[in-house]
Amino acid sequence: MTAVFSSRSAFASAYPPSALFDTAREINAAGLSPNLLCQSYPDHQLKRLLESGTRIRCLFLDPQGSAIRAREDEEGYEDGTLTTLTALNISMLTRLKARLTPEAAELLELRVYDETIRFNILIVDGATCVVQPYLPQARGVDSPTIVINDNTAADGLFPVFDQVFTSMWERSSPV
């Protein structure tokens, strides 16, 4: 572990999205509705990354599934709150994908899954992993955030969360 923060906002102060993404060659994001990438990083920057060859894979909790409704209940939201946010983020990336060259569009992959949400996972360039657990009755932004640098030689946590992402991706469905 490189750093631990009490919340996503504390993490974002120390690791702004531009510092994480501006030079990235590969970004894998999984969670409810990967807001750090979808809401905190400008479209034109995402477009620049994709058109320069960066591969981006985003995995969203299915807005049409039962798991997102269960999470809305758990967090105490009215029906449709998290569903709407997630659908908006998917729509934003779908709209961006439509504006890309065919080569760049192939580099942006969007998928959904419908299972109990456990972690928000962000892996940049196979070297930096940002993980947040989804706590009972707490918004994701209020959850502790852990930064892990690849330490596979020491059998660290990085390969664990890399495998969680890969496993979820393999079970997911394309948007």
Short mmCIF file of all heavy atoms in Angstrom, two decimals, residues 59-91:
data_model
loop_
_atom_site.label_atom_id
_atom_site.label_comp_id
_atom_site.label_asym_id
_atom_site.label_seq_id
_atom_site.Cartn_x
_atom_site.Cartn_y
_atom_site.Cartn_z
N LEU A 59 -16.31 -0.60 -16.28
CA LEU A 59 -17.27 -1.60 -15.86
C LEU A 59 -18.23 -0.97 -14.87
O LEU A 59 -17.84 -0.51 -13.80
CB LEU A 59 -16.51 -2.76 -15.22
CG LEU A 59 -17.26 -4.01 -14.80
CD1 LEU A 59 -18.07 -4.58 -15.95
CD2 LEU A 59 -16.27 -5.04 -14.29
N PHE A 60 -19.52 -0.92 -15.25
CA PHE A 60 -20.56 -0.25 -14.47
C PHE A 60 -21.52 -1.27 -13.86
O PHE A 60 -21.83 -2.28 -14.49
CB PHE A 60 -21.40 0.66 -15.37
CG PHE A 60 -20.64 1.77 -16.03
CD1 PHE A 60 -19.99 1.56 -17.23
CD2 PHE A 60 -20.59 3.02 -15.45
CE1 PHE A 60 -19.29 2.58 -17.86
CE2 PHE A 60 -19.90 4.05 -16.06
CZ PHE A 60 -19.25 3.83 -17.27
N LEU A 61 -22.05 -0.95 -12.69
CA LEU A 61 -23.15 -1.73 -12.15
C LEU A 61 -24.33 -1.51 -13.09
O LEU A 61 -24.66 -0.37 -13.44
CB LEU A 61 -23.48 -1.26 -10.73
CG LEU A 61 -24.31 -2.19 -9.86
CD1 LEU A 61 -23.69 -3.58 -9.74
CD2 LEU A 61 -24.51 -1.59 -8.49
N ASP A 62 -24.94 -2.58 -13.53
CA ASP A 62 -25.99 -2.51 -14.55
C ASP A 62 -27.17 -1.66 -14.08
O ASP A 62 -27.83 -2.01 -13.10
CB ASP A 62 -26.47 -3.92 -14.90
CG ASP A 62 -27.40 -3.97 -16.08
OD1 ASP A 62 -27.93 -2.92 -16.50
OD2 ASP A 62 -27.62 -5.09 -16.59
N PRO A 63 -27.45 -0.54 -14.76
CA PRO A 63 -28.56 0.31 -14.34
C PRO A 63 -29.92 -0.37 -14.47
O PRO A 63 -30.89 0.08 -13.87
CB PRO A 63 -28.48 1.54 -15.25
CG PRO A 63 -27.45 1.28 -16.26
CD PRO A 63 -26.72 0.03 -15.89
N GLN A 64 -29.99 -1.46 -15.24
CA GLN A 64 -31.24 -2.21 -15.39
C GLN A 64 -31.30 -3.43 -14.47
O GLN A 64 -32.29 -4.16 -14.49
CB GLN A 64 -31.40 -2.68 -16.85
CG GLN A 64 -31.33 -1.56 -17.87
CD GLN A 64 -32.36 -0.47 -17.60
OE1 GLN A 64 -33.52 -0.76 -17.38
NE2 GLN A 64 -31.91 0.77 -17.60
N GLY A 65 -30.25 -3.63 -13.68
CA GLY A 65 -30.16 -4.84 -12.86
C GLY A 65 -30.74 -4.70 -11.46
O GLY A 65 -31.15 -3.62 -11.03
N SER A 66 -30.74 -5.79 -10.75
CA SER A 66 -31.28 -5.80 -9.38
C SER A 66 -30.26 -5.33 -8.36
O SER A 66 -30.63 -4.77 -7.32
CB SER A 66 -31.77 -7.21 -9.02
OG SER A 66 -30.70 -8.14 -9.10
N ALA A 67 -28.97 -5.51 -8.63
CA ALA A 67 -27.94 -5.12 -7.66
C ALA A 67 -27.91 -3.61 -7.43
O ALA A 67 -27.69 -3.16 -6.30
CB ALA A 67 -26.58 -5.63 -8.10
N ILE A 68 -28.15 -2.84 -8.45
CA ILE A 68 -28.12 -1.37 -8.29
C ILE A 68 -29.32 -0.91 -7.46
O ILE A 68 -29.21 0.00 -6.64
CB ILE A 68 -28.02 -0.64 -9.64
CG1 ILE A 68 -27.52 0.80 -9.41
CG2 ILE A 68 -29.33 -0.67 -10.40
CD1 ILE A 68 -27.01 1.48 -10.66
N ARG A 69 -30.45 -1.57 -7.63
CA ARG A 69 -31.62 -1.22 -6.81
C ARG A 69 -31.38 -1.59 -5.35
O ARG A 69 -31.77 -0.86 -4.44
CB ARG A 69 -32.87 -1.89 -7.37
CG ARG A 69 -33.34 -1.23 -8.68
CD ARG A 69 -34.69 -1.73 -9.15
NE ARG A 69 -34.75 -3.15 -9.44
CZ ARG A 69 -34.29 -3.73 -10.55
NH1 ARG A 69 -33.72 -2.97 -11.48
NH2 ARG A 69 -34.40 -5.02 -10.75
N ALA A 70 -30.70 -2.71 -5.12
CA ALA A 70 -30.37 -3.11 -3.75
C ALA A 70 -29.41 -2.09 -3.12
O ALA A 70 -29.55 -1.73 -1.95
CB ALA A 70 -29.74 -4.51 -3.74
N ARG A 71 -28.48 -1.58 -3.91
CA ARG A 71 -27.55 -0.57 -3.40
C ARG A 71 -28.27 0.75 -3.11
O ARG A 71 -27.98 1.42 -2.13
CB ARG A 71 -26.39 -0.35 -4.38
CG ARG A 71 -25.31 0.56 -3.86
CD ARG A 71 -24.65 0.02 -2.62
NE ARG A 71 -23.80 1.06 -2.01
CZ ARG A 71 -23.10 0.90 -0.92
NH1 ARG A 71 -23.10 -0.24 -0.27
NH2 ARG A 71 -22.38 1.89 -0.45
N GLU A 72 -29.22 1.13 -3.95
CA GLU A 72 -30.02 2.32 -3.69
C GLU A 72 -30.75 2.18 -2.36
O GLU A 72 -30.76 3.11 -1.55
CB GLU A 72 -31.04 2.56 -4.81
CG GLU A 72 -30.44 3.14 -6.05
CD GLU A 72 -31.43 3.28 -7.20
OE1 GLU A 72 -32.44 2.55 -7.24
OE2 GLU A 72 -31.19 4.15 -8.05
N ASP A 73 -31.35 1.02 -2.12
CA ASP A 73 -32.04 0.76 -0.84
C ASP A 73 -31.06 0.87 0.32
O ASP A 73 -31.36 1.49 1.33
CB ASP A 73 -32.68 -0.63 -0.84
CG ASP A 73 -33.88 -0.73 -1.74
OD1 ASP A 73 -34.43 0.32 -2.17
OD2 ASP A 73 -34.28 -1.88 -2.06
N GLU A 74 -29.89 0.25 0.16
CA GLU A 74 -28.90 0.24 1.23
C GLU A 74 -28.42 1.65 1.58
O GLU A 74 -28.24 1.98 2.75
CB GLU A 74 -27.71 -0.64 0.85
CG GLU A 74 -26.70 -0.79 1.97
CD GLU A 74 -25.60 -1.76 1.63
OE1 GLU A 74 -25.19 -1.83 0.46
OE2 GLU A 74 -25.14 -2.44 2.55
N GLU A 75 -28.25 2.49 0.56
CA GLU A 75 -27.78 3.86 0.80
C GLU A 75 -28.93 4.80 1.16
O GLU A 75 -28.70 5.96 1.50
CB GLU A 75 -27.03 4.39 -0.42
CG GLU A 75 -25.67 3.77 -0.62
CD GLU A 75 -24.85 4.46 -1.69
OE1 GLU A 75 -24.96 5.69 -1.85
OE2 GLU A 75 -24.08 3.76 -2.37
N GLY A 76 -30.18 4.33 1.07
CA GLY A 76 -31.32 5.15 1.44
C GLY A 76 -31.75 6.14 0.38
O GLY A 76 -32.35 7.17 0.70
N TYR A 77 -31.45 5.86 -0.88
CA TYR A 77 -31.86 6.73 -1.98
C TYR A 77 -33.25 6.36 -2.48
O TYR A 77 -33.67 5.21 -2.37
CB TYR A 77 -30.89 6.61 -3.16
CG TYR A 77 -29.59 7.33 -2.97
CD1 TYR A 77 -28.40 6.63 -2.91
CD2 TYR A 77 -29.54 8.71 -2.87
CE1 TYR A 77 -27.19 7.28 -2.74
CE2 TYR A 77 -28.35 9.37 -2.70
CZ TYR A 77 -27.18 8.66 -2.63
OH TYR A 77 -25.99 9.31 -2.47
N GLU A 78 -33.91 7.33 -3.08
CA GLU A 78 -35.16 7.05 -3.78
C GLU A 78 -34.85 6.17 -4.98
O GLU A 78 -33.76 6.26 -5.56
CB GLU A 78 -35.81 8.35 -4.25
CG GLU A 78 -36.33 9.22 -3.14
CD GLU A 78 -36.99 10.48 -3.67
OE1 GLU A 78 -37.41 10.50 -4.85
OE2 GLU A 78 -37.07 11.44 -2.90
N ASP A 79 -35.81 5.36 -5.37
CA ASP A 79 -35.64 4.50 -6.54
C ASP A 79 -35.20 5.34 -7.74
O ASP A 79 -35.76 6.39 -8.01
CB ASP A 79 -36.94 3.78 -6.89
CG ASP A 79 -37.26 2.67 -5.90
OD1 ASP A 79 -36.40 2.34 -5.06
OD2 ASP A 79 -38.38 2.13 -5.99
N GLY A 80 -34.21 4.86 -8.44
CA GLY A 80 -33.75 5.51 -9.66
C GLY A 80 -32.59 6.47 -9.49
O GLY A 80 -32.01 6.89 -10.49
N THR A 81 -32.21 6.82 -8.26
CA THR A 81 -31.14 7.80 -8.07
C THR A 81 -29.81 7.30 -8.61
O THR A 81 -29.19 7.96 -9.45
CB THR A 81 -31.01 8.17 -6.58
OG1 THR A 81 -32.26 8.67 -6.12
CG2 THR A 81 -29.92 9.20 -6.37
N LEU A 82 -29.35 6.14 -8.14
CA LEU A 82 -28.07 5.61 -8.62
C LEU A 82 -28.19 5.08 -10.04
O LEU A 82 -27.23 5.15 -10.82
CB LEU A 82 -27.55 4.52 -7.67
CG LEU A 82 -27.23 5.01 -6.25
CD1 LEU A 82 -26.78 3.84 -5.38
CD2 LEU A 82 -26.18 6.11 -6.26
N THR A 83 -29.36 4.57 -10.37
CA THR A 83 -29.62 4.11 -11.73
C THR A 83 -29.44 5.25 -12.72
O THR A 83 -28.78 5.10 -13.76
CB THR A 83 -31.05 3.53 -11.83
OG1 THR A 83 -31.15 2.44 -10.93
CG2 THR A 83 -31.37 3.08 -13.23
N THR A 84 -29.98 6.41 -12.40
CA THR A 84 -29.88 7.58 -13.28
C THR A 84 -28.44 8.04 -13.41
O THR A 84 -27.97 8.34 -14.51
CB THR A 84 -30.78 8.72 -12.75
OG1 THR A 84 -32.13 8.25 -12.73
CG2 THR A 84 -30.67 9.95 -13.62
N LEU A 85 -27.72 8.10 -12.28
CA LEU A 85 -26.32 8.52 -12.31
C LEU A 85 -25.49 7.57 -13.18
O LEU A 85 -24.70 8.01 -14.03
CB LEU A 85 -25.73 8.56 -10.90
CG LEU A 85 -24.22 8.80 -10.80
CD1 LEU A 85 -23.84 10.16 -11.35
CD2 LEU A 85 -23.75 8.64 -9.38
N THR A 86 -25.69 6.29 -13.00
CA THR A 86 -24.93 5.30 -13.77
C THR A 86 -25.28 5.37 -15.25
O THR A 86 -24.39 5.36 -16.11
CB THR A 86 -25.17 3.89 -13.20
OG1 THR A 86 -24.79 3.89 -11.83
CG2 THR A 86 -24.34 2.85 -13.95
N ALA A 87 -26.57 5.46 -15.56
CA ALA A 87 -26.99 5.58 -16.96
C ALA A 87 -26.41 6.85 -17.60
O ALA A 87 -26.00 6.83 -18.77
CB ALA A 87 -28.51 5.57 -17.07
N LEU A 88 -26.34 7.94 -16.84
CA LEU A 88 -25.75 9.18 -17.34
C LEU A 88 -24.28 8.98 -17.68
O LEU A 88 -23.82 9.41 -18.74
CB LEU A 88 -25.91 10.30 -16.31
CG LEU A 88 -25.21 11.61 -16.64
CD1 LEU A 88 -25.87 12.28 -17.83
CD2 LEU A 88 -25.23 12.52 -15.42
N ASN A 89 -23.53 8.32 -16.79
CA ASN A 89 -22.11 8.09 -17.05
C ASN A 89 -21.89 7.19 -18.26
O ASN A 89 -21.00 7.43 -19.07
CB ASN A 89 -21.42 7.53 -15.82
CG ASN A 89 -21.20 8.59 -14.76
OD1 ASN A 89 -21.40 9.77 -14.98
ND2 ASN A 89 -20.79 8.17 -13.57
N ILE A 90 -22.71 6.16 -18.39
CA ILE A 90 -22.61 5.29 -19.56
C ILE A 90 -22.94 6.08 -20.82
O ILE A 90 -22.24 5.99 -21.83
CB ILE A 90 -23.55 4.06 -19.42
CG1 ILE A 90 -23.03 3.14 -18.32
CG2 ILE A 90 -23.67 3.32 -20.75
CD1 ILE A 90 -24.00 2.02 -17.94
N SER A 91 -23.97 6.89 -20.75
CA SER A 91 -24.37 7.72 -21.89
C SER A 91 -23.27 8.70 -22.28
O SER A 91 -23.00 8.91 -23.47
CB SER A 91 -25.66 8.46 -21.55
OG SER A 91 -26.00 9.36 -22.57
#
